Amino acid sequence: MATFTQDLRQGLPRHPGGPAWPPAGAAPALAPAVADGAAAQEATEPALVAVAEPVLAAPAAEPTPAAAAEPAAGAAHAPAPAAPADAVEVTVRRGLPRVAGGEPWPPAAVVRVDRAPAPPVTLAAGLPAVAGGTAVVGEETVPAAAGVPAAADVPAASGPTSPTADTVTEQVALRRGLPRIAGGEPWPPAETATVQRRVAVAPVVATAPTAAEPSRTEVADGGSPEPAQPVPVPSTPAAETESAPVVQPPAAVEPVLEAPTEPVRPPEPVRPTEPARPAEPAREPRRIGSRTLGGWARLLGWGLAGLVAAAGIIVLAARGVTTLPGVPEFLERYPGSYELPESAPVGFPVWVNWMHYLNFFFMVLIVRTGLQVRYQKTPPAYWTPAKGGKKISINLWLHTGIDLLWLANGAAFVVLLFATGHWIRIVPTSWEVFPNAASAMLQYLTLNWPTEHGWVNYNSLQQLMYFTVVFVAAPLAAITGLRMSEWWPKDADRLNRLYPAPVARAIHFPTMLFFVLFVIVHVTLVFATGALRNLNHMFAAQDTVSWVGFAWFAGGLVLAVAAVFAARPLVIAPIASLVGKVSSR
């Protein structure tokens, strides 16, 4: 009996680093076994089985008369039909995922496979002779099964046999495999293949006539038939005749393939991925001093809320004070201003208007550059004098330069103030200035503005404030700034002990805050006590109610804001290079 094998391709490892399964080589063959008159086909796993070559029967021998009566006894003891198929549990090993991230298929499971026993083997006429316990098939010698008699002892049936195997051509669908290399194409691809296989066909065996129904030959012309010549059958013991099995070729075992429950999707092509970029560090919030910009905004919001609440309380308290005994009489006696000398000038000349605006313009830039110098960590550029000297930051150079312009404007203002007699308007000339200033303050707090006419005379509170700004705060800011500048002599030990730099620094910054507070209150009162008339006094030099002064004020405000934004190294470096050397280090 012939067997067939099938070459297997090498599979994939079942776990990382493990051996490939199945290995490359020949698959084990499956051959039928014959024993005790029954053929049992043993298979441990469901697999594609190559159909064995059928045994072709030899030509039948001539029957003998002596053997005519023997087949009847053998037919009475014919073997029973084949037993029904029994089931075998087979462990299916888990497969690999068909798509990236998918479920493995087939999953690890235990399946039941029907295993049909081999059909009985019938010793028909023409089978190879069994001699000495072996069966000869072509050029092969096959050991005979136990209980199978020799050919000389078994009666042979007469008649030809039909073909025992056919070749069938089928189209088999191949499932797509996996890529052999990373990013490669899957192999084998999903396609169909033409497969030829051999299917066993049970042979047709002719049996000899029995003794009960002897063969007869018909006589032509209606004559009586004559008894047929008996077929000579070798003498065989009864026991051996009854146990003689019927040999038939095995039936083909069709493999059972389970299709996946879900359609197999082709994997997406592997695209080269760019290396992950490092995450950008989170930008730190911009800090102004010890707080962030948001922190200052929150602080300003809470400060304004507290200021409004405090203003309401102060207004209510001031109005309560005006109802106390003696306060109305005090307000009547001191209305808020006193009479100026007859020599006091009236109105505002043009030079007062220009110097008033330049003072505001320079103060805005001084505050801006002063904060830069105070809180700068690394200067954006440096400035060195053209004739040599100490290198300073470009922000400090700008701050010092604007200070000089502001001092020059203030000095010219003071000179013109005394030259034209305008000093009488801002310098107190009577002790009544103090009770009138207190009366004006109380009237401001009750929101009942004091009667005033700035074109002719300031009220006493205004006179004291303007005197303090021009003759106290401005000189104090100049002296403290000079002490902290590079122009102060470093070798004057006695002078430095009398006027140390920390004292100057402790005075200079509060003085700047005083100027900021004064500007805020001054502008607020200008708009609250008659904006158009007051702006005409300070910017148009006329005592009328019109929009001329407001237009000059708006233009000057835009110019000051533009100067603040332009105060940066890109703009001031070319200007600084005209009087020195600008460098980045």
Side-chain angles (χ1 to χ4, degrees):
M1 183 175 295
T3 60
F4 296 91
T5 62
Q6 182 180 6
D7 290 337
L8 298 179
R9 288 187 293 120
Q10 183 179 6
L12 298 176
R14 293 308 181 185
H15 56 85
W21 191 90
L30 182 65
V34 180
D36 297 332
Q41 181 179 355
E42 300 293 336
T44 59
E45 293 185 5
L48 293 176
V49 181
V51 180
E53 290 285 351
V55 180
L56 302 179
E62 289 292 332
T64 58
E70 296 296 332
H77 300 278
D86 55 348
V88 177
E89 292 186 353
V90 179
T91 301
V92 179
R93 308 182 72 169
R94 187 184 66 179
L96 297 176
R98 297 307 178 187
V99 294
E103 297 294 331
W105 191 90
V110 177
V111 299
R112 299 179 60 86
V113 179
D114 292 337
R115 184 181 64 185
V121 180
T122 303
L123 292 179
L127 290 177
V130 178
T134 60
V136 180
V137 181
E139 296 181 358
E140 295 182 353
T141 302
V142 182
V148 178
D153 301 332
V154 179
S158 61
T161 60
S162 60
T164 58
D166 288 338
T167 300
V168 179
T169 302
E170 295 179 348
Q171 295 290 333
V172 179
L174 299 180
R175 290 189 302 165
R176 187 186 61 185
L178 298 175
R180 297 307 180 189
I181 58 177
E185 296 293 333
W187 192 89
E191 58 182 6
T192 58
T194 302
V195 179
Q196 292 184 353
R197 61 177 181 172
R198 303 185 68 185
V199 180
V201 179
V204 178
V205 180
T207 57
T210 60
E213 297 179 359
S215 301
R216 298 178 178 272
T217 57
E218 294 182 358
V219 181
D221 300 332
S224 61
E226 295 181 358
Q229 297 294 329
V231 180
V233 178
S235 176
T236 305
E240 294 181 358
T241 303
E242 293 177 357
S243 62
V246 180
V247 180
Q248 293 183 359
V253 179
E254 293 291 339
V256 179
L257 300 179
E258 295 182 0
T261 57
E262 298 181 357
V264 179
R265 299 179 179 178
E268 298 180 356
V270 180
R271 300 178 180 177
T273 57
E274 297 181 359
R277 297 180 179 178
E280 296 182 358
R283 296 181 59 183
E284 296 184 358
R286 184 179 178 182
R287 305 186 70 87
I288 302 177
S290 60
R291 299 176 183 271
T292 62
L293 185 60
W296 283 111
R298 289 190 294 271
L299 180 62
L300 180 61
W302 284 108
L304 291 177
L307 183 61
V308 171
I313 296 174
I314 291 173
V315 169
L316 295 177
R319 291 188 176 184
V321 170
T322 58
T323 61
L324 296 177
V327 175
E329 291 79 6
F330 174 82
L331 295 177
E332 184 178 357
R333 181 178 179 182
Y334 299 102
S337 62
Y338 64 93
E339 294 293 335
L340 294 178
E342 295 181 359
S343 59
V346 177
F348 299 98
V350 176
W351 62 267
V352 173
N353 297 151
W354 278 102
M355 289 186 176
H356 178 267
Y357 172 73
L358 289 176
N359 183 69
F360 164 74
F361 180 81
F362 291 141
M363 284 296 300
V364 171
L365 291 179
I366 287 173
V367 173
R368 164 77 159 82
T369 56
L371 292 175
Q372 285 181 326
V373 172
R374 183 178 179 86
Y375 295 110
Q376 71 179 2
K377 295 182 179 179
T378 302
Y382 295 89
W383 178 84
T384 306
K387 297 181 180 180
K390 185 178 180 180
K391 183 184 297 184
I392 61 175
S393 69
I394 197 170
N395 290 332
L396 180 58
W397 173 85
L398 180 61
H399 182 73
T400 306
I402 296 175
D403 282 341
L404 292 177
L405 296 176
W406 178 69
L407 289 175
N409 180 71
F413 178 77
V414 171
V415 170
L416 292 175
L417 200 63
F418 284 95
T420 59
H422 235 72
W423 61 272
I424 299 177
R425 301 198 57 177
I426 63 173
V427 176
T429 58
S430 174
W431 291 107
E432 294 182 359
V433 67
F434 295 106
N436 281 286
S439 176
M441 173 65 75
L442 185 58
Q443 294 177 60
Y444 277 121
L445 293 180
T446 59
L447 298 182
N448 295 320
W449 311 123
T451 302
E452 62 175 313
H453 196 351
W455 185 260
V456 177
N457 187 15
Y458 294 127
N459 63 54
S460 296
L461 184 60
Q462 288 176 321
Q463 190 178 41
L464 288 177
M465 291 303 299
Y466 295 152
F467 176 83
T468 303
V469 169
V470 174
F471 296 103
V472 178
L476 194 61
I479 294 173
T480 55
L482 177 64
R483 177 63 183 88
M484 295 184 298
S485 69
E486 298 297 329
W487 298 328
W488 185 264
K490 306 298 181 184
D491 300 333
D493 296 336
R494 184 176 180 181
L495 184 60
N496 290 336
R497 286 196 303 270
L498 294 176
Y499 187 25
V503 173
R505 189 175 294 108
I507 297 174
H508 191 76
F509 186 70
T511 303
M512 183 206 72
L513 296 180
F514 167 77
F515 276 111
V516 173
L517 180 62
F518 169 78
V519 170
I520 293 174
V521 175
H522 178 64
V523 173
T524 302
L525 292 176
V526 165
F527 280 88
T529 59
L532 295 180
R533 180 181 291 273
N534 291 333
L535 291 176
N536 278 338
H537 291 172
M538 290 294 98
F539 289 92
Q542 52 182 286
D543 186 23
T544 59
V545 179
S546 65
W547 291 91
V548 178
F550 180 83
W552 281 101
F553 166 76
L557 183 62
V558 171
L559 182 61
V561 173
V564 169
F565 281 98
R568 56 189 61 200
L570 182 64
V571 178
I572 63 179
I575 302 174
S577 62
L578 297 176
V579 293
K581 181 182 177 181
V582 178
S583 60
S584 58
R585 295 183 180 180

